Every structure is written in C-alpha cells, then in structure tokens.
Amino acid sequence: MIIFSLLFLFIGLALLVGGVWLIALGGSWYYAITGLVLLVVGALTKNRRTSARLLYAAFLVATAVWALWESGYDWWPLATRMGLFLILAIPLLLATKSNKGGVKVLLPVWAVLVVGTLASTLVDKHKIDGELSTEIKVAAPNLGDAPADGWQAYGRSNMGQRYSPLDQITPANVSNLELAWQYQTGDKKGPGDVGETTYEATPLKLGNTLYLCTPHNWLVALDADSGKKVWQYKAAIEPDLQRQHQTCRGVSYLPGTSGQLPVAKVMDAPSESLAPIACDAELFLPTSDAKLIALDPATGARCQNFADEGVLDLTQHMPFKQHGYYYSTSPPLVAKGKVIVAGSVNDNYAVNSPSGVIRAFDARTGQLLWNFDSGNPDQTAPLGAGEVYTPSSPNSWSVASADEKLGLAYFPMGNRTPDQLGMYRSPAEEKYASSVLALNLDTGKPAWVQQFIHHDLWDMDTPAQPVLLDLQTKNGLEPALVVPTKQGDVYVLNRATGQPIFPITEEPAPQGTDIPGDHTSPTQPSSALNFKPPTLKESDMWGASPLDQLWCRIEFKTLNYKGQYTAPSTKGTIVFPGNFGVFNWGSVAVDPKRQVMFGMPLYLAFTSTLVKKDGGDLGPANQGEHGLNANEGGPYAVDMKPFLSPLGVPCQQPPWGYVAGVDLSTGKKVWQHKNGTIHDMTPLPLPIKMGVPGIGGPVITAGGVVFMSAAVDDYIRAYDLTSGKVLWQARLPAGGQATPMTYVNSKGEQMVVQVAGGHGSIGTTIGDYVVAYKLKH
C-alpha cells in the first residue's frame, strides 16, 4: 500500500496547494478541502487503517453532491469530477489482506456512484427536441441560376443557399449510400507550409465535369461519373511561411456567350504547359501569391483575353506589398459580367499592411471597373498611376453573394488589422468593419451597411457567406439576407434596404481597457435570432482530471473576463465565443421552400493577451493566425490561442459543437443536438457522442436530407432536416473540413461529393482525397 499511499499524498498535496491559490483568487474551496482529505487518506492508508476507507467513502459522497450541484446530471462534467476519485477507490477496496474494515461501507458507496455516473450517459440535458415543419411555404422560390443537376458557384448559386432541388436521396433510402469513387489529387502538405494548410474546397459541377482547387492552387477537372482526372492545372506558387493560411475554398465560373455548359477534354499534358487561348467561358482560380488566373474549362489553358495572358496581379495599387500578407482564399464573385475580388489580409502581422479593397474587373478582359476601399469609401473609380489604396483597411476574406435583379453584391466584412488594437481606425473603417456590406454591382458604391460589432477588438470578422432567400413574413414575401456571425448572432435583413426583419437591439457591453488611446463600445448589437452562449462561470471549467480542472479554474480567475466583449488586455482576456466563432466560413444552409435553416453552432473559448513591446526580442512570432503575432509598427504584440488545459483539452466543459434547425418564418430554434464524436480525439477510437468542434458547412437537399462533415472526427454524415437526427454516416480517409455538394451524373444518379484533406490548425487527419457517394442499385 506504500505506492498507493504516496499517490494519495502526491495528488492531495497538488490539490491543496492549487486549491489554496484558487481560494486566494476568490474561487471554490472544494479543491483545497479535497487536498486535505487525500493527504489524510494517504497517511491512514500507509497503516491500512479502517478509517481511511470510511473517510474516503464520505469524501466520495460529498464529491458527488458537489458535482451534481455544480454541473447537474450531465455525463462529461460529472465523469471528470468523479472519475479519478472512483479509480483511486479501487486500491482501497482491493487491499484487504490485513484489514477488511471499512470495505462494507466503501464498496456499496463506490458501486452506487459508479453506476449513477455511468447512467448519466443516458441523459442529454443539452438536447432540444422538436421537428421543423414540412409544409411548403413558398412553392416556387428563387434558387438562383444554377441548373437543377449542377453546382455553378460556391453555395451552388450566387444566392449562397447551399440548397439543391435534387430529391432522389431521402430519409427513407439514405442508409443505402455507398462509395461510388475516390480520387487523390496528389497535392500534399510540404515542409515549407504554414500550420494552417487546409483542404476547404467545394467543387463546381458544370456539364459532366467537377472543378475543384487544392491548397497549393492546383485546379483539377474530374469526370463526374467516375472521378477520373480530365485535366489539371498547377499554379506556380512558392511556399511562404509569411502566409497565415495555405488554402483554396473554390473556383468561380463565367458562362460562355453561347449559353452552353463546357465539355472538358482529357488532356495528356499538364494544362499549365499549354499556350494561352481565346476563352469564351472562364474559370477563375485565386492563388496564395495574390494572383487571379482565368482558365478555359475545356482544357485548363490560360485565357489570353484576360489580363496578362490569363494572369491578373492583385498587388496593383497596394500601399504595402509584403510577400504572403495578401491573397484570396475564397472564390471571387462573378456577377453581371464582372469578376469581383476581395482578399485576406494577414491578421496582426503588421500595422502597415496591404489594403482590404474590393475590386471589380471586367470578367472578359480583366480591366478594372471599380474599387471599394472601406478606408476611402467615396472613391470607387479606378485609381490612377501612382495612387494607392488605404493601408490595412477592413477586408472581406470570405465568400460574397449577389442579387443581380437588385443589382447588389453582399460582402461579409472583416476588421482592420491589428484586430485587438483599435486606436488606428478611421471613422470610415469603423463604419464598415465587422459588418455585411451591400455594394452596387455597376458602380461599387455602398447601398447600405449593417454592422454587427462596434469597435471590434476580438477578431469577430463577419466570416460567412450571406444567404439569400425570399422570406414569408407578416409583411408578405420579403427579399431576405441571412448572415451568421462568429459571436453567435444570426441576422435576418431585408437585402434591398438592409433593414432588420428580425429585431436587432443594442445591449450593454463590458467596459474598460488598459490600452492607452483605445476604448470599448458601450453597447453591442444583438439579433433576436442568436446562438450566443451564456456567460462562463468558474463551474464551467473542465478538464480530463481534477488536476487540470483546477488549473483551468485558476486561469479563469486570473484572466480578465466580464462576459462576452471583455476587452483584450495585457493581463490576458478570455474571449468567448473564441476566434473560431459560433459560425465560420461554412455558413448555414436554408431550404427556401420550407423556409428553414440548418446550422452548426460551435463553442470554444480563446484567450487574447496583449504583449507590450519594450525593444526586446519577442521570440518566434508571426507563425500563423493563432499564437504570438508581432503587430509590427505597433506598441503591443498579441498572443491568441484556444483556452486549453495542460493536457490540451478545452478548459470549458463540453458540448463544444451542435447541429441546429431553425424555422425562419418565426425565428425560433426548433431542435438542437450535439454533433460529432471523440473517435479521432483520443488514442482509443471511441465513437462516443460528445459535441465536438468543427469547421465546414452543410448542404440541404429537396429530399429532406442534410449532408455535412466538418466535425473533428473523420466522418461525413446525413441528417434528417426535420428532426436533426443522424440517418447515415461514412468514415472518411482524412478530415472533412470542407462543405460537400451534390449533383446528378450523366446516368441520372444523384451524387454527394466531399473533399477530405484535413485541417492543419485543428489537427484532423491530413490527406488529399475527393470522395463521392451514390445509392446502391
């Protein structure tokens, strides 16, 4: 028993020391008391005394009462509070050679608590049960201009609905899906890549060909029936550790003047080796070295009629041109004969960075037609020789949408870099940052703007493509825009005017900042439809064991936190929801007929610490979006990362990820369920449903089935749109951090395609796969 005695003494001492520290910070007394109890039990155990078992039995009962009081009858919080202590009881029960006293008390207590804890797996206190209405509220909705069997833009059409009118696959037969084909692109993560090298692409389907890009900006054309390569174009880009992201979410398509869909030809030679040709239809490939390349959909040859033989340099008129600081990760918007390009500007690398300008080029020639720079919003005419855009102005890095009948394009707007230092922003930049912006397609002039964060200090860029649908309201059918945000609000606006359809209120926000020259906004907007989490409490802190739970509680009490919108600080601030946001670039999907929405809300806290520069060496910095970034030219660097325990698990208790269904005619959440398992998060492949984080988006079909991968376990799943229940799942060969799509092949079969290549910054399995599924014959 000496070894077990020492174990009790070691754990008890650690809990006592940490517990006293927590008490000094104003936290719970439980851990210090537990440390004392374990020290006494350890001392008594050494002498095999009956009193050790009796004391431990009383301690287990007290811990169970405390755990239930703090977290309720909820498996994950309960199991991690009780688990270690129930395991520690085993040597006390087995060591009976010389003294059996106390076993008759400890054994039944232990057995009841083990059974009671395990039984909590049968209770899901986080679930909202319900069913979305199956009533068709709008019989003939606007689905955009994509053919029913195709997928012509990132969200299927420029409306961004991620809704397909295909209905072969239904809740009744989706379990019959099987792998139809699998393709590997050959584009692998290399030694010169940044940490966030990711496969996030959603393919287009034009004619009977799929077109998708890879992280290193290859464009691959695949036969839609077999998945075999038709042609491949490799953009000539070099690895660059100054980039924050190495990814490509998709390519864009300009139809030809004939109106016919392209027919791709099998090319033996690499398409980049072909001579440029005159193109009618065009594919637009954004690259991570700030180029836009126009390609012929039939052969992959560059289009000689566009810009410089198919290549447009996006660094033109940029005030600063640091290599790797500016590029487009999302496909450009093609509307009204224009290709409209926004871009990603590295967060927090330098105060003086490239502009976040949005530019419209003639899609046939590459001529600049207008530019909108949120730092100089009134000057939309093309700049002249020697003129430059505003440095570091708010950018739009995600996917845009458009309504050509209204003549408007809708851009989700980011923030001015540095994200956490607001003293550099002009009134114009303050107006357009962290918003959705409607621009006139002909002139680039702002039609309206709706801001979602005032004076954003938390990197709460509007991350998701705005979704267009015609919504049945009390005022009749209104042109609506649905915009999910990182902070958890889902804004529903009239897309013609920008006015709210669901009410927006201004709510008081935490005040105060320790950064000279900066300030916080007294209020922040809030939508009536939202998925905002409640304010964190000490009892929400979590970990795999009481030891890392205690560490998280100490951190919680040490860090600056007054609720959502607590200002970043030199002390360190908890940002919740964190940088991943409640919603991110995967956006949401809507069924415009049933007027319902499917989304994947995510809850993961981050910490943000401003590091005052004193002229010394900061150490390794500017190595990605998360971690220490230098804010070169500014007085503070910023260190931003997930709020994790020493064991690398989130400090706030699960669930961390859900799927949810919303009735958009009422704005009510009808159902919500935990999403994803810990299959790929632990050494043992346990399919335990936990509600895990995810990056990616959903696709709704007219058959009433939703397809989505996204979660950090390597599965693609089919959900019942009505109830949210999982109907089918298939194991992927790598992480599925991309939004799927669906189409009909030349044989009339509905296919579902998922890109599976993993996500570097969240640690899912890396690969280079494209997988397709169809119903068994």
Side-chain angles (χ1 to χ4, degrees):
M1 289 295 291
I2 294 178
I3 293 176
F4 294 119
S5 174
L6 291 174
L7 181 62
F8 277 104
L9 291 171
F10 173 77
I11 296 174
L13 182 61
L15 289 174
L16 176 60
V17 172
V20 170
W21 187 4
L22 183 60
I23 291 171
L25 293 170
S28 171
W29 284 58
Y30 168 80
Y31 293 90
I33 295 171
T34 295
L36 284 172
V37 170
L38 293 186
L39 286 172
V40 174
V41 170
L44 295 173
T45 299
K46 183 179 179 181
N47 298 315
R48 302 177 183 271
R49 293 190 179 180
T50 298
S51 52
R53 298 187 180 97
L54 295 177
L55 176 59
Y56 202 77
F59 162 71
L60 287 179
V61 172
T63 293
V65 171
W66 169 79
L68 289 169
W69 172 71
E70 275 213 329
S71 65
Y73 198 52
D74 188 4
W75 161 251
W76 287 108
L78 191 61
T80 53
R81 283 168 170 82
M82 297 295 300
L84 176 64
F85 299 130
L86 290 172
I87 292 170
L88 287 176
I90 295 174
L92 291 175
L93 291 168
L94 295 179
T96 60
K97 270 188 177 181
S98 61
N99 189 337
K100 297 184 180 181
V103 173
K104 290 182 179 179
V105 175
L106 180 57
L107 181 58
V109 167
W110 179 83
V112 168
L113 292 179
V114 168
V115 171
T117 302
L118 289 173
S120 67
T121 59
L122 304 175
V123 178
D124 187 352
K125 63 180 288 187
H126 305 280
K127 180 168 64 173
I128 301 173
D129 271 327
E131 291 195 347
L132 292 168
S133 170
T134 58
E135 177 189 356
I136 302 299
K137 296 185 174 71
V138 177
N142 183 2
L143 303 182
D145 55 5
D149 64 349
W151 199 276
Q152 289 199 351
Y154 180 78
R156 202 183 83 87
S157 75
N158 279 343
M159 299 188 77
Q161 295 170 347
R162 292 163 189 77
Y163 171 83
S164 170
L166 302 179
D167 59 5
Q168 286 182 26
I169 301 171
T170 69
N173 65 21
V174 68
S175 61
N176 293 323
L177 282 177
E178 64 179 1
L179 185 67
W181 52 259
Q182 179 173 290
Y183 175 79
Q184 288 185 263
T185 66
D187 183 2
K188 302 284 183 71
K189 182 175 179 178
D193 282 333
V194 295
E196 193 160 317
T197 298
T198 62
Y199 270 76
E200 296 178 351
T202 298
L204 304 186
K205 193 262 187 178
L206 310 169
N208 203 47
T209 306
L210 301 181
Y211 299 93
L212 69 143
C213 58
T214 70
H216 294 92
N217 307 125
W218 303 0
L219 202 162
V220 184
L222 303 178
D223 180 88
D225 291 348
S226 65
K228 292 181 179 179
K229 183 174 70 176
V230 180
W231 56 257
Q232 180 175 273
Y233 177 93
K234 293 184 181 180
I237 62 166
E238 295 295 329
D240 188 343
L241 289 173
Q242 287 297 317
R243 297 181 191 126
Q244 285 185 324
H245 311 271
Q246 186 68 56
T247 193
C248 181
R249 296 189 183 95
V251 296
S252 304
Y253 171 61
L254 175 72
T257 54
S258 68
Q260 300 296 312
L261 288 169
V263 178
K265 304 172 185 177
V266 177
M267 305 300 294
D268 295 326
S271 292
E272 66 270 17
S273 67
L274 301 178
I277 64 171
C279 297
D280 187 18
E282 292 172 284
L283 293 170
F284 294 101
L285 171 68
T287 70
S288 54
D289 60 351
K291 302 289 195 304
L292 183 68
I293 302 175
L295 301 172
D296 172 37
T299 65
R302 284 183 287 118
C303 298
Q304 65 181 22
N305 48 286
F306 182 83
D308 183 9
E309 294 198 319
V311 180
L312 178 65
D313 181 4
L314 296 175
T315 66
Q316 299 173 68
H317 299 292
M318 282 296 179
F320 295 94
K321 299 185 180 184
Q322 303 100 320
H323 195 52
Y325 275 42
Y326 173 87
Y327 44 95
S328 294
T329 54
S330 297
L333 176 69
V334 177
K336 291 193 77 172
K338 302 172 181 67
V339 55
I340 306 174
V341 185
S344 176
V345 177
N346 282 355
D347 288 336
N348 309 319
Y349 276 24
V351 171
N352 291 318
S353 290
S355 176
V357 63
I358 299 168
R359 289 169 284 186
F361 301 92
D362 185 297
R364 301 284 175 196
T365 67
Q367 178 188 354
L368 181 62
L369 301 177
W370 55 255
N371 35 236
F372 173 82
D373 178 1
S374 53
N376 186 17
D378 298 325
Q379 175 58 48
T380 61
L383 296 190
E387 294 183 297
V388 296
Y389 300 118
T390 308
S392 311
S393 54
N395 62 319
S396 182
W397 56 263
S398 191
V399 187
S401 307
D403 183 333
E404 293 195 30
K405 289 184 179 178
L406 288 175
L408 296 176
Y410 306 96
F411 291 88
M413 295 297 293
N415 205 357
R416 186 201 195 283
T417 190
D419 286 296
Q420 289 79 21
L421 299 176
M423 67 281 284
Y424 299 99
R425 302 169 191 172
S426 69
E429 290 169 339
E430 290 278 34
K431 177 179 179 179
Y432 291 104
S434 306
S435 67
V436 66
L437 169 65
L439 294 181
N440 184 292
L441 278 168
D442 292 326
T443 65
K445 296 284 187 183
W448 55 261
V449 62
Q450 182 66 250
Q451 190 170 67
F452 305 139
I453 296 283
H454 306 319
H455 196 65
D456 180 3
L457 300 174
W458 306 273
D459 192 21
M460 292 290 125
D461 303 340
T462 306
Q465 181 181 23
V467 181
L468 282 62
L469 80 157
D470 296 331
L471 187 62
Q472 196 67 254
T473 71
K474 61 183 180 182
N475 299 320
L477 203 62
E478 288 193 62
L481 193 71
V482 179
V483 192
T485 64
K486 282 188 177 182
Q487 58 270 27
D489 291 294
V490 178
Y491 290 90
V492 182
L493 311 172
N494 183 301
R495 67 177 182 268
T497 65
Q499 293 302 305
I501 293 175
F502 293 167
I504 300 173
T505 56
E506 290 286 335
E507 304 294 333
Q511 294 299 288
T513 173
D514 59 2
I515 306 304
D518 211 343
H519 68 278
T520 52
S521 173
T523 63
Q524 293 292 353
S526 182
S527 172
L529 173 57
N530 71 75
F531 289 83
K532 290 181 178 180
T535 299
L536 289 173
K537 309 181 299 296
E538 183 197 327
S539 57
D540 294 323
M541 295 302 100
W542 193 72
S545 73
L547 292 170
D548 57 326
Q549 291 166 30
L550 173 58
W551 186 92
C552 287
R553 286 178 184 246
I554 291 171
E555 285 292 291
F556 178 80
K557 287 293 187 179
T558 302
L559 292 164
N560 191 25
Y561 181 66
K562 304 173 187 175
Q564 193 171 12
Y565 307 122
T566 303
S569 61
T570 53
K571 179 182 179 182
T573 293
I574 295 174
V575 181
F576 184 60
N579 181 252
F580 284 164
V582 177
F583 298 99
N584 210 292
W585 54 261
S587 195
V588 297
V590 302
D591 182 331
K593 290 187 174 183
R594 292 169 59 177
Q595 306 271 281
V596 298
M597 181 191 97
F598 181 102
M600 184 188 68
L602 164 68
Y603 302 99
L604 198 62
F606 271 59
T607 62
S608 178
T609 304
L610 294 172
V611 181
K612 186 171 179 59
K613 300 178 187 177
D614 56 7
D617 184 10
L618 285 172
N622 290 358
Q623 294 187 337
E625 190 171 349
H626 303 151
L628 183 66
N629 288 328
N631 286 333
E632 183 181 345
Y636 298 90
V638 61
D639 189 8
M640 186 170 59
K641 56 194 174 187
F643 186 24
L644 304 178
S645 82
L647 296 181
V649 298
C651 266
Q652 104 265 2
Q653 65 191 26
W656 306 304
Y658 296 88
V659 288
V662 174
D663 185 338
L664 288 173
S665 62
T666 63
K668 302 297 183 185
K669 284 181 277 189
V670 175
W671 55 257
Q672 181 170 287
H673 307 301
K674 291 185 291 187
N675 185 54
T677 70
I678 62 171
H679 186 285
D680 296 292
M681 298 176 69
T682 61
L684 296 175
L686 301 173
I688 299 173
K689 194 171 185 179
M690 189 177 197
V692 297
I695 294 288
V699 167
I700 294 175
T701 68
V705 179
V706 183
F707 292 98
M708 188 176 71
S709 179
V712 293
D713 57 357
D714 298 341
Y715 286 95
I716 181 173
R717 294 181 171 91
Y719 306 81
D720 185 341
L721 176 59
T722 300
S723 67
K725 294 178 180 176
V726 175
L727 302 170
W728 167 87
Q729 65 181 24
R731 188 81 175 140
L732 293 170
Q737 280 64 61
T739 302
M741 51 84 74
T742 184
Y743 63 92
V744 172
N745 65 16
S746 67
K747 301 174 184 177
E749 301 167 311
Q750 184 177 352
M751 311 285 288
V752 176
V753 168
Q754 173 73 52
V755 170
H759 196 289
S761 68
I762 62 174
T764 51
T765 308
I766 299 298
D768 62 340
Y769 297 89
V770 185
V771 291
Y773 303 90
K774 67 178 181 179
L775 294 171
K776 297 175 186 176
H777 290 296

